[in-house]
Amino acid sequence: MTGRPGRRAVVTAALGVPLLAAGCSASTTGGDDAPQGPAPERIAYGPHEAQFAELTRPTGASRGVVVVLHGGFWLAEYDVSLARPLAADLVRRGWTALAVEYRRVGDGGGVPATLDDVSTALDLLADRDLADGPVVTLGHSAGGQLAVWAAARTRLERWRGAQVVPTHVVSQAGVLDLRTAADEDLGGGAVPGFLGGTPQERPEAYAWADPVALAPVEAPVWCVHGPDDGTVPIAQSQAYVRAALAAGGAATLIEVPGDHLDQVDTGSDAWARTVAVLDGL
C-alpha cells in the first residue's frame, strides 16, 4: 500500500505501525465527489459515550447483516472511524452494516466491560427485524478476537442470555491466541492490559475471552491473514484454525497479500478476498 499518494491518513500508533484513519482517503471512501450512500442510524445501547453502534441499511433488499468490529488493540485511542469505510463498502454491496463502538482500555473498557458491550450491541439486531438472514461478525485485529468471541459467548454464564448469535465469522488478521499474544508482548502489553493481567494473574479472563480456548464455535470461521503481517503474525490465525479443526469445528485460513492495514483498505486485494468470502455465503 505504499507509493499510493492520498491513500491513507496516518496517526501515531501504539501498534508500532501507522493506522488508517477512516474517512480520509479517496480509495476507501470514494472521494468527495462520490455518491453518498444511505445515512447510518446511531443507536445508543448504554450510558457511556462509547456505547453506541451505527446501523446502515442498503437502498434495496438486504443480503444480511455484517457486524463490523474495529481493531486497535482494544485501546481508547482507536475508534469506530476505522470501521466506517468497511461498513460503507458493504452497504454499497447490498449488506446491512452495524459498525460497533465499545468501551476500550483507557476509557472504561477491558474484560469484561468490552465483551459486555459487544454482546449488547449485537443484540440490537433482535429488535430491528434484521436477524432473520445471515448475521456475520467481521473484525480486524483486536476486532477479530471480538468477532470470534461473539460467536462463542452464549456458552459462558455471564452472556448465556445473549439473543443474537452470528451465523458466520470473518477475522481479519485477528488476535486469536491471547495467551501466546501475551507471552510475545503483541501490541506492547496490550493483551494483559485488555485482560487485566497475565494468564497466570487472570486465568478466568483468558478463559472468557481467548478464541483458541473457546474453539470451536458453531458458526464457520474464516481467518483472513497475510504472511507478511508484522503487527499480528499469521501464527495467530494458524493457531486458531488448528484448534478449531482439532475440536471438530469449521475454520478456514485464507492467506492474502499485503500488510496489517491492507485488510481495512477497501481498495486492496486483501479486502477483495474478504468480500469474496461474504459473496459465497
Side-chain angles (χ1 to χ4, degrees):
M1 288 171 54
T2 58
R4 288 182 283 185
R7 202 164 182 90
R8 296 177 178 180
V10 175
V11 298
T12 302
L15 302 178
V17 295
L19 253 178
L20 181 69
C24 297
S25 81
S27 66
T28 54
T29 66
D32 293 339
D33 297 329
Q36 297 300 306
E41 173 191 3
R42 181 183 169 113
I43 309 167
Y45 60 82
H48 193 280
E49 62 182 1
Q51 291 177 307
F52 70 91
E54 296 171 349
L55 178 68
T56 313
R57 304 171 189 252
T59 53
S62 176
R63 300 168 61 182
V65 183
V66 180
V67 180
V68 186
L69 297 159
H70 71 81
F73 276 125
W74 312 279
L75 296 171
E77 51 261 50
Y78 306 109
D79 62 20
V80 73
S81 63
L82 295 168
R84 286 174 180 148
L86 306 188
D89 190 66
L90 292 167
V91 170
R92 286 193 291 269
R93 297 174 186 275
W95 293 91
T96 298
L98 185 74
V100 176
E101 187 58 285
Y102 49 85
R103 288 173 290 175
R104 283 103 56 216
V105 176
D107 192 25
V111 173
T114 297
L115 305 181
D116 287 341
D117 285 0
V118 170
S119 183
T120 302
L122 192 58
D123 281 352
L124 291 171
L125 300 175
D127 300 326
R128 286 170 170 76
D129 299 320
L130 292 169
D132 292 337
V135 177
V136 185
T137 48
L138 181 149
H140 174 251
S141 196
Q145 177 269 328
L146 297 172
V148 177
W149 175 85
R153 74 195 194 283
T154 55
R155 302 208 309 264
L156 302 165
E157 183 62 33
R158 185 182 180 94
W159 299 279
R160 201 171 301 281
Q163 301 175 67
V164 178
V165 179
T167 60
H168 306 80
V169 179
V170 180
S171 168
Q172 302 172 284
V175 187
L176 304 182
D177 182 353
L178 296 183
R179 288 177 177 270
T180 299
D183 290 343
E184 295 180 351
D185 198 33
L186 292 191
V191 175
F194 173 55
L195 290 146
T198 66
Q200 295 74 33
E201 294 166 338
R202 290 290 310 280
E204 75 285 0
Y206 285 78
W208 281 348
D210 194 349
V212 163
L214 295 170
V217 297
E218 292 187 9
V221 178
W222 288 266
C223 296
V224 184
H225 216 132
D228 298 327
D229 193 322
T231 303
V232 177
I234 194 172
Q236 285 281 308
S237 288
Q238 291 168 334
Y240 179 81
V241 171
R242 283 196 304 269
L245 293 178
T252 304
L253 177 66
I254 299 176
E255 294 190 10
V256 295
D259 63 20
H260 192 63
L261 297 181
D262 277 291
Q263 300 267 0
V264 289
D265 180 348
T266 58
S268 71
D269 291 339
W271 176 246
R273 294 292 298 278
T274 294
V275 168
V277 171
L278 298 174
D279 287 344
L281 300 184

